[in-house]
């Protein structure tokens, strides 16, 4: 077995592709022995990846772009589990419609992260002015994320990630919008490594993507397995919350799992709108389509999707 180190930015549904691949035994099928290394947020997990303290991580598009800029890094997305926004908008008690959210305090953990990008994306679609129709409040990360975002003394509206909107509902908050319904290409949950690893250990990257794609497929098509994975890794015990979280996230997964060129173009555009970067970053700077292409070429998807080798076209 070849050992690989996987940096984890969180234990939410967005990281479920890694957890499903571990629990399904698919890394081991590919001769890989994973070590899961927890970090507090994508910024830290991507910094560890770029520094060489990890070999792979699960990330989101805007965070990869920003991590490369912060650390002069070579992080690159090699497979995609979700190429649409997977965030939801929840509001404190007393707010029940989208229009009531205009001008309110919107909580995020850090500036220029995927959540602030999702706010900018939603406001564009709604025809709202981000500079006038919201007060962005950075809540930080010194306490549990949900506690910070649901602090009604500071925040009226928060961007949620499954299972958070259903956990928030138990505290009286209401999910107002599901941003997945906007159907905007946006590179969300994805597998990332470095160009350095792709050069030095191409076979390891190929085996990682084979396993990852199988884990994604199993998670989204096997509800009982998916819910069990979420129960184990998120720490949530309420079956109703877990089932809703699985359904919300799994419906956005699928396809051939190529990194999303359009999703990265959207991420770059939103970072420009936020003033985080001066000009758009070409998608090819932070994605590599070659690994999934190699997996497809060898017929692995046909096998995983249940098409026998004798029936492959």
């Amino acid at each position: 077995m070849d050992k690989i180190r996987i940096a984890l930015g969180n234990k939410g549904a967005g990281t479920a592709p890694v957890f499903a691949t571990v629990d399904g035994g698919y890394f081991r099928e590919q001769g890989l022995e994973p070590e899961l290394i927890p970090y507090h947020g994508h910024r830290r997990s991507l910094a560890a990846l770029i520094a060489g303290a990890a070999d792979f991580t699960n990330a989101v598009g805007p965070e990869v772009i920003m991590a490369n800029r912060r650390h002069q890094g070579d992080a690159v997305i090699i497979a995609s589990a979700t190429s649409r926004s997977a965030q939801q908008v929840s509001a404190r008690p007393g707010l029940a419609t989208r229009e009531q959210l205009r001008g309110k305090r919107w909580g995020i953990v850090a500036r220029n992260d995927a959540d602030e990008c999702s706010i900018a994306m939603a406001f564009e679609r709604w025809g709202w002015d981000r500079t006038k129709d919201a007060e962005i409040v950075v809540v930080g990360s010194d306490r549990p994320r949900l506690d910070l975002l649901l602090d009604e003394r500071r925040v009226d509206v928060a961007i949620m990630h499954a299972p958070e909107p259903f956990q928030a509902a138990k505290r009286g908050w209401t999910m107002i919008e599901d941003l997945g319904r906007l159907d905007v290409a946006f590179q969300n949950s994805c597998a990332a490594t470095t160009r350095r690893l792709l050069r030095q250990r191409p076979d390891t990257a190929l085996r990682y993507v084979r396993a990852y794609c199988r884990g994604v497929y199993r998670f989204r098509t096997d509800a009982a397995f998916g819910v069990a994975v979420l129960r184990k890794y998120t720490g949530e015990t309420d079956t109703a919350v877990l089932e809703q979280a699985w359904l919300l996230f799994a419906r956005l997964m699928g396809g051939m799992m190529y990194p999303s060129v359009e999703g990265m173009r959207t991420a770059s555009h939103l970072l420009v709108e936020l003033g985080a970067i001066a000009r758009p970053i070409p998608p090819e700077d932070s994605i590599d389509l070659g690994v999934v292409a190699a997996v497809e070429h060898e017929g692995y998807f046909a096998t995983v999707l249940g098409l026998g080798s004798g029936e492959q076209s």
Side-chain angles (χ1 to χ4, degrees):
M1 288 286 178
D2 294 334
K3 292 185 178 180
I4 55 171
R5 300 161 299 169
I6 306 174
L8 305 177
N10 60 63
K11 292 185 176 181
T15 311
V18 173
F19 301 142
T21 307
V22 171
D23 280 27
Y26 304 127
F27 284 129
R28 294 186 65 84
E29 279 187 2
Q30 293 295 322
L32 301 173
E33 185 64 49
E35 177 189 1
L36 304 182
I37 308 173
Y39 290 89
H40 198 67
H42 290 301
R43 292 192 180 198
R44 291 182 175 89
S45 58
L46 280 161
L49 177 75
I50 291 168
D55 304 306
F56 300 94
T57 190
N58 215 70
V60 290
E63 301 281 10
V64 172
I65 292 172
M66 294 305 297
N68 281 338
R69 289 181 63 82
R70 290 188 194 101
H71 307 291
Q72 293 74 56
D74 64 342
V76 60
I77 297 166
I78 56 174
S80 173
T82 308
S83 58
R84 292 291 187 272
S85 175
Q87 287 99 325
Q88 294 77 43
V89 178
S90 291
R92 63 167 172 77
L95 301 175
T97 68
R98 180 201 302 172
E99 190 57 34
Q100 289 178 320
L101 309 186
R102 194 190 292 263
K104 296 298 190 293
R105 301 167 300 174
W106 291 62
I108 58 173
V109 172
R111 284 285 180 182
N112 305 321
D113 65 0
D115 290 349
E116 189 170 19
C117 283
S118 72
I119 293 172
M121 178 185 69
F123 278 29
E124 280 190 2
R125 277 298 183 98
W126 299 341
W128 289 15
D129 185 332
R130 182 175 46 81
T131 63
K132 297 178 181 178
D133 291 329
E135 176 188 348
I136 304 298
V137 177
V138 178
V139 300
S141 57
D142 61 335
R143 288 189 287 129
R145 172 184 155 91
L146 207 57
D147 291 343
L148 291 164
L149 288 173
L150 301 186
D151 184 350
E152 295 178 35
R153 297 168 299 179
R154 303 176 64 193
V155 175
D156 303 304
V157 190
I159 302 297
M160 302 271 100
H161 305 260
E164 290 174 343
F166 310 111
Q167 294 168 328
K170 295 170 72 172
R171 303 192 196 185
W173 285 54
T174 302
M175 187 171 76
I176 306 296
E177 292 285 343
D178 175 3
L179 300 185
R181 295 175 182 170
L182 295 178
D183 199 29
V184 177
F186 183 78
Q187 184 59 77
N188 214 290
S189 178
C190 57
T193 187
T194 60
R195 295 196 185 276
R196 180 176 65 253
L197 186 140
L198 290 181
R199 290 192 304 269
Q200 297 174 354
R201 299 162 62 192
D203 184 63
T204 300
L206 185 65
R207 287 184 285 157
Y208 187 92
V209 168
R210 284 195 203 112
Y212 183 89
C213 290
R214 183 134 187 210
V216 169
Y217 181 73
R218 173 79 183 278
F219 180 86
R220 74 178 178 88
T221 59
D222 185 339
F225 173 76
V227 169
V229 165
L230 292 177
R231 184 186 304 275
K232 177 178 177 180
Y233 289 97
T234 66
E236 177 59 60
T237 59
D238 187 322
T239 298
V241 167
L242 292 166
E243 290 177 345
Q244 291 176 92
W246 175 81
L247 184 61
L248 196 67
F249 193 72
R251 70 195 167 95
L252 298 172
M253 302 169 79
M256 296 302 277
M257 303 179 210
Y258 279 96
S260 175
V261 174
E262 285 304 312
M264 289 305 289
R265 191 170 284 122
T266 299
S268 179
H269 161 72
L270 294 171
L271 289 171
V272 171
E273 289 296 304
L274 293 173
I277 56 178
R279 60 186 61 86
I281 304 295
E284 57 268 22
D285 283 9
S286 47
I287 64 176
D288 188 302
L289 303 176
V291 187
V292 173
V295 170
E296 181 182 11
H297 180 73
E298 67 187 15
Y300 186 70
F301 284 118
T303 301
V304 169
L305 297 175
L307 183 64
S309 58
E311 300 172 275
Q312 294 178 25
S313 60

